[in-house]
Amino acid sequence: IEGDNLHALTALTFTHEGAIDVIYIDPPYNTGNKDFKYNDTFVDKEDSYRHSKWLSFMDKRLRIAKRLLSEKGIIFISIDDYEQATLKLLCDEIFTEMNFVGNIVWQRSYAPINLKKTISQNHDFILIYCKQEFATLELNKLPRSEAATSIYKNPDNDPRGVWQSDNFSVGPAVKEKLYEITTPAGRIVTPPNGRCWLLTKDRYEEFIRDNRIWFGKDGKGVPRIKRFLSEVRDGVVAMSLWTYQEVGHTQDAKRELKEVL
């Protein structure tokens, strides 16, 4: 639909209310460079009410966007430092704080702007909210790269295949998970200060019987839990930092657009 996004969103409520699973919006960032209109007038840096006008501008559109989302729907909103903090509060009000999924930091460029006097900003944010089902929300996992797979080894020839070891201590300390462990080489170890073991002693004994605890090749190391690739093959959980090497940057986007045109 070509036209003002408020009018377009309103029109969609007549045909698609409660029917959209995913919404991505890239609103004006309110940089003060007359990037959005309020009451048909561009808002500039000198306007002392530009933040409140921008919030009013966004409030109308986000409330309609929420109406369009299905019960399992999720929305992604691009923004930068100019309005990230205020947008987060607005979204907490509209979608509720409980339905906040995450705040992605996207490295949109890699070269510094040396003309900047303070800090050359090279990232944007992507705020993510779901409509209602945060408790049951599970995002698709990302494909596992060859580099991520290559860290899995099988030094003890475990029949379940390759694995990697993970930290067996967590914080803060919990009383029922504080106990001594004797390594196969006879060394007695305890959790680091302020931390405890990942499992209770009974569960730890179960993991020992199932050969899921690793003490190093010489049996003297602190315990580590074995994570098998066969049990996590469905992919990798996305992280909140998206580097340009993984997802691209604006310079690439401009180059691709020029090639298309």
Side-chain angles (χ1 to χ4, degrees):
I1 302 174
E2 184 176 347
D4 183 278
N5 58 8
L6 180 61
H7 300 157
L9 286 167
T10 303
L12 284 171
T13 59
F14 291 97
T15 56
H16 290 76
E17 183 165 358
I20 307 298
D21 288 336
V22 177
I23 294 177
Y24 168 74
I25 61 173
D26 185 14
Y29 283 9
N30 196 17
T31 60
N33 295 322
K34 296 184 177 180
D35 57 343
F36 85 101
K37 283 185 176 181
Y38 185 77
N39 291 342
D40 292 327
T41 302
F42 278 112
V43 179
D44 59 29
K45 290 181 180 179
E46 308 305 316
D47 193 324
S48 58
Y49 293 98
R50 69 184 180 94
H51 291 291
S52 60
K53 288 179 179 178
W54 186 86
L55 283 171
S56 182
F57 171 93
M58 290 298 299
D59 181 87
K60 296 174 184 177
R61 288 154 176 80
L62 289 176
R63 291 188 187 278
I64 298 174
K66 183 181 179 182
R67 289 175 57 189
L68 292 173
L69 284 175
S70 65
E71 292 305 300
K72 63 177 182 179
I74 189 168
I75 185 170
F76 300 79
I77 312 167
S78 285
I79 200 66
D80 71 359
D81 274 326
Y82 283 100
E83 294 291 358
Q84 183 271 334
T86 51
L87 179 61
K88 173 69 167 60
L89 293 174
L90 177 63
C91 289
D92 284 347
E93 178 186 334
I94 295 174
F95 298 98
T96 76
E97 188 177 352
M98 293 298 296
N99 286 332
F100 171 64
V101 178
N103 186 10
I104 301 299
V105 177
W106 167 47
Q107 186 182 9
R108 58 177 167 78
S109 63
Y110 62 90
I113 302 174
N114 289 326
L115 294 177
K116 294 287 186 180
K117 294 181 179 179
T118 54
I119 294 176
S120 179
Q121 298 288 345
N122 70 327
H123 71 276
D124 281 357
F125 300 96
I126 304 174
L127 288 174
I128 309 173
Y129 283 81
C130 58
K131 187 172 183 180
Q132 287 190 4
E133 298 188 2
F134 181 80
T136 59
L137 178 69
E138 184 175 351
L139 298 181
N140 292 331
K141 292 182 172 62
L142 301 175
R144 189 178 298 280
S145 66
E146 290 186 12
T149 302
S150 66
I151 64 176
Y152 287 82
K153 309 292 182 183
N154 195 359
D156 61 346
N157 296 314
D158 195 302
R160 288 165 290 195
V162 294
W163 52 270
Q164 67 165 321
S165 66
D166 201 357
N167 197 344
F168 192 61
S169 69
V170 294
V174 178
K175 185 177 180 180
E176 58 266 27
K177 296 179 180 179
L178 291 171
Y179 50 89
E180 292 183 344
I181 288 178
T182 303
T183 72
R187 178 184 170 213
I188 297 177
V189 293
T190 55
N193 288 336
R195 297 173 69 85
C196 63
W197 297 127
L198 181 66
L199 306 172
T200 63
K201 191 166 186 179
D202 288 342
R203 286 287 288 154
Y204 163 75
E205 296 293 347
E206 291 178 17
F207 273 57
I208 284 289
R209 289 192 292 271
D210 197 28
N211 189 24
R212 287 180 177 267
I213 303 296
W214 176 246
F215 294 94
K217 289 184 177 181
D218 58 5
K220 297 179 181 179
V222 295
R224 292 180 64 83
I225 192 167
K226 293 165 69 173
R227 308 283 189 190
F228 292 92
L229 179 60
S230 59
E231 297 173 349
V232 295
R233 193 175 289 279
D234 57 339
V236 180
V237 174
M239 293 192 292
S240 60
L241 175 62
W242 292 4
T243 62
Y244 76 86
Q245 294 98 330
E246 295 177 325
V247 300
H249 48 75
T250 53
Q251 286 96 325
D252 272 348
K254 290 176 183 177
R255 183 164 52 250
E256 289 179 16
L257 185 60
K258 287 180 179 178
E259 290 174 359
V260 170
L261 298 177

